[in-house]
Amino acid sequence: MPALTTYTTRIRPDWVDYNGHLRDAFYLLIFSYATDALMDTLGLDTDNRDASGHSLFTLELHLNYLHEVKLDAEVQVRTQLIAHDAKRLHLYHSLYRVGEDRELAGNEQMLLHVDLAGPHAAPFTAATLEKLTTISAEQAELPKPALLGRVIGLPVRN
């Protein structure tokens, strides 16, 4: 299985800045909608949240801007599960123009499954873990994203 296509949209006029480019905040909005779609795929949708009182919280993310995205471009997010344990999910979203294979932006995220009553960390249900395990197995042969685990910083000069 290739990366999951989790979100598709056209770039709207109010998302574009004075340079004619997608504003930095809207990259994250697009990736956030992709995370919502992944949650639906995993059975962590609105009905589940209402019934269980559990959800996913973002612990950390990294966002890399690789190529320009302009008004009216039709883009899609492809999502790769990197790893998971009983309570956490590590994923990588890639943004592409529909029908193309050049990555426009990358977004690495670490998410935590949370009991909203606490709030505190809570283990995934057996059904969610099964879906995570299945998707991970189907994506096992995908190469790791080039920007995975990247650390921000200036190079050290001697």
Side-chain angles (χ1 to χ4, degrees):
M1 164 190 261
L4 298 168
T5 299
T6 48
Y7 187 68
T8 302
T9 191
R10 186 166 300 280
I11 303 305
R12 303 170 190 176
D14 57 328
W15 291 3
V16 175
D17 67 13
Y18 46 86
N19 291 319
H21 302 128
L22 182 61
R23 288 183 177 275
D24 55 358
F26 289 98
Y27 283 87
L28 188 53
L29 177 72
I30 290 168
F31 289 131
S32 183
Y33 286 144
T35 300
D36 290 350
L38 177 64
M39 289 175 67
D40 291 349
T41 298
L42 296 173
L44 301 173
D45 55 14
T46 301
D47 291 341
N48 177 277
R49 283 188 300 278
D50 291 345
S52 70
H54 292 180
S55 189
L56 287 178
F57 283 13
T58 304
L59 296 178
E60 182 176 355
L61 63 83
H62 298 224
L63 182 55
N64 291 281
Y65 307 97
L66 305 173
H67 298 283
E68 296 176 332
V69 179
K70 296 192 174 192
L71 179 64
D72 288 330
E74 189 176 6
V75 296
Q76 67 182 195
V77 177
R78 300 174 195 164
T79 302
Q80 184 175 349
L81 300 185
I82 303 301
H84 70 276
D85 63 16
K87 300 177 185 178
R88 293 173 298 181
L89 174 59
H90 184 193
L91 63 87
Y92 190 88
H93 293 305
S94 298
L95 185 69
Y96 296 88
R97 280 186 189 84
V98 171
E100 297 183 12
D101 286 323
R102 181 173 73 157
E103 187 178 10
L104 303 172
N107 175 231
E108 182 177 2
Q109 296 188 13
M110 182 67 70
L111 307 172
L112 178 67
H113 190 242
V114 173
D115 180 343
L116 299 172
H120 56 80
F124 290 114
T125 65
T128 299
L129 277 174
E130 183 178 332
K131 289 176 185 176
L132 285 167
T133 301
T134 298
I135 293 169
S136 293
E138 291 170 344
Q139 293 184 342
E141 299 302 316
L142 289 177
K144 296 293 182 203
L147 298 175
L148 187 67
R150 186 163 183 223
V151 176
I152 194 169
L154 296 172
V156 177
R157 301 198 192 264
N158 295 333

Short mmCIF file of all heavy atoms in Angstrom, two decimals, residues 3 26 29 41 65 68 78 84 95 106 109 120 127 140:
data_model
loop_
_atom_site.label_atom_id
_atom_site.label_comp_id
_atom_site.label_asym_id
_atom_site.label_seq_id
_atom_site.Cartn_x
_atom_site.Cartn_y
_atom_site.Cartn_z
N ALA A 3 1.43 5.42 0.51
CA ALA A 3 0.94 6.34 1.53
C ALA A 3 -0.54 6.60 1.28
O ALA A 3 -1.00 6.59 0.14
CB ALA A 3 1.74 7.64 1.49
N PHE A 26 -1.40 28.16 6.37
CA PHE A 26 -2.37 27.32 5.66
C PHE A 26 -1.80 25.97 5.26
O PHE A 26 -2.54 25.02 5.03
CB PHE A 26 -2.99 28.08 4.49
CG PHE A 26 -3.92 29.16 4.98
CD1 PHE A 26 -3.48 30.48 5.09
CD2 PHE A 26 -5.20 28.87 5.40
CE1 PHE A 26 -4.32 31.47 5.58
CE2 PHE A 26 -6.04 29.84 5.90
CZ PHE A 26 -5.60 31.15 5.99
N LEU A 29 -2.79 24.15 8.23
CA LEU A 29 -4.23 23.88 8.19
C LEU A 29 -4.52 22.67 7.31
O LEU A 29 -5.28 21.77 7.69
CB LEU A 29 -4.99 25.10 7.67
CG LEU A 29 -6.50 24.91 7.52
CD1 LEU A 29 -7.17 24.87 8.89
CD2 LEU A 29 -7.09 26.01 6.66
N THR A 41 -10.19 7.47 9.49
CA THR A 41 -9.78 6.17 8.97
C THR A 41 -9.51 5.18 10.11
O THR A 41 -9.80 3.99 9.99
CB THR A 41 -8.52 6.32 8.10
OG1 THR A 41 -8.82 7.16 6.98
CG2 THR A 41 -7.99 4.99 7.60
N TYR A 65 8.95 23.55 4.13
CA TYR A 65 8.45 24.12 2.88
C TYR A 65 9.48 23.83 1.79
O TYR A 65 10.63 24.24 1.90
CB TYR A 65 8.27 25.64 3.02
CG TYR A 65 7.43 26.02 4.21
CD1 TYR A 65 8.02 26.41 5.41
CD2 TYR A 65 6.05 25.98 4.15
CE1 TYR A 65 7.25 26.75 6.51
CE2 TYR A 65 5.26 26.33 5.25
CZ TYR A 65 5.88 26.71 6.42
OH TYR A 65 5.11 27.06 7.50
N GLU A 68 7.10 26.12 -4.06
CA GLU A 68 5.98 27.06 -4.04
C GLU A 68 4.64 26.36 -4.32
O GLU A 68 4.58 25.44 -5.12
CB GLU A 68 6.17 28.14 -5.11
CG GLU A 68 7.36 29.02 -4.90
CD GLU A 68 7.53 30.01 -6.05
OE1 GLU A 68 7.11 29.71 -7.19
OE2 GLU A 68 8.09 31.07 -5.79
N ARG A 78 -0.54 13.06 1.26
CA ARG A 78 -0.33 11.62 1.37
C ARG A 78 0.32 11.38 2.73
O ARG A 78 1.28 12.04 3.09
CB ARG A 78 0.57 11.12 0.24
CG ARG A 78 -0.02 11.40 -1.14
CD ARG A 78 0.92 11.03 -2.25
NE ARG A 78 0.48 11.62 -3.51
CZ ARG A 78 1.24 11.73 -4.58
NH1 ARG A 78 2.49 11.27 -4.56
NH2 ARG A 78 0.77 12.29 -5.67
N HIS A 84 4.10 3.50 15.82
CA HIS A 84 3.09 3.71 16.86
C HIS A 84 3.40 2.79 18.02
O HIS A 84 4.11 1.79 17.87
CB HIS A 84 1.67 3.46 16.33
CG HIS A 84 1.39 2.03 16.03
ND1 HIS A 84 1.73 1.44 14.84
CD2 HIS A 84 0.82 1.05 16.77
CE1 HIS A 84 1.37 0.17 14.85
NE2 HIS A 84 0.82 -0.09 16.01
N LEU A 95 2.81 16.92 1.02
CA LEU A 95 1.89 17.68 0.16
C LEU A 95 2.37 17.61 -1.28
O LEU A 95 3.56 17.84 -1.55
CB LEU A 95 1.84 19.15 0.63
CG LEU A 95 0.83 20.04 -0.10
CD1 LEU A 95 -0.60 19.64 0.27
CD2 LEU A 95 1.08 21.51 0.25
N GLY A 106 6.54 19.00 3.66
CA GLY A 106 6.49 17.82 4.51
C GLY A 106 6.16 18.21 5.93
O GLY A 106 6.54 19.29 6.40
N GLN A 109 4.70 14.56 12.48
CA GLN A 109 3.91 14.79 13.69
C GLN A 109 4.05 13.63 14.67
O GLN A 109 4.15 12.47 14.25
CB GLN A 109 2.42 14.95 13.37
CG GLN A 109 2.09 16.14 12.52
CD GLN A 109 0.59 16.35 12.38
OE1 GLN A 109 -0.23 15.76 13.09
NE2 GLN A 109 0.22 17.21 11.45
N HIS A 120 -5.50 13.11 30.15
CA HIS A 120 -4.28 12.34 30.37
C HIS A 120 -4.16 11.29 29.27
O HIS A 120 -5.15 10.92 28.63
CB HIS A 120 -4.25 11.70 31.78
CG HIS A 120 -5.44 10.84 32.06
ND1 HIS A 120 -5.57 9.56 31.60
CD2 HIS A 120 -6.58 11.10 32.76
CE1 HIS A 120 -6.72 9.05 31.99
NE2 HIS A 120 -7.35 9.97 32.70
N ALA A 127 -9.31 -2.10 18.64
CA ALA A 127 -9.71 -1.88 17.24
C ALA A 127 -8.82 -0.85 16.55
O ALA A 127 -8.41 -1.04 15.40
CB ALA A 127 -11.18 -1.43 17.18
N ALA A 140 5.02 -0.94 5.11
CA ALA A 140 6.36 -1.32 5.59
C ALA A 140 7.45 -1.15 4.54
O ALA A 140 8.60 -0.86 4.88
CB ALA A 140 6.34 -2.75 6.10
#
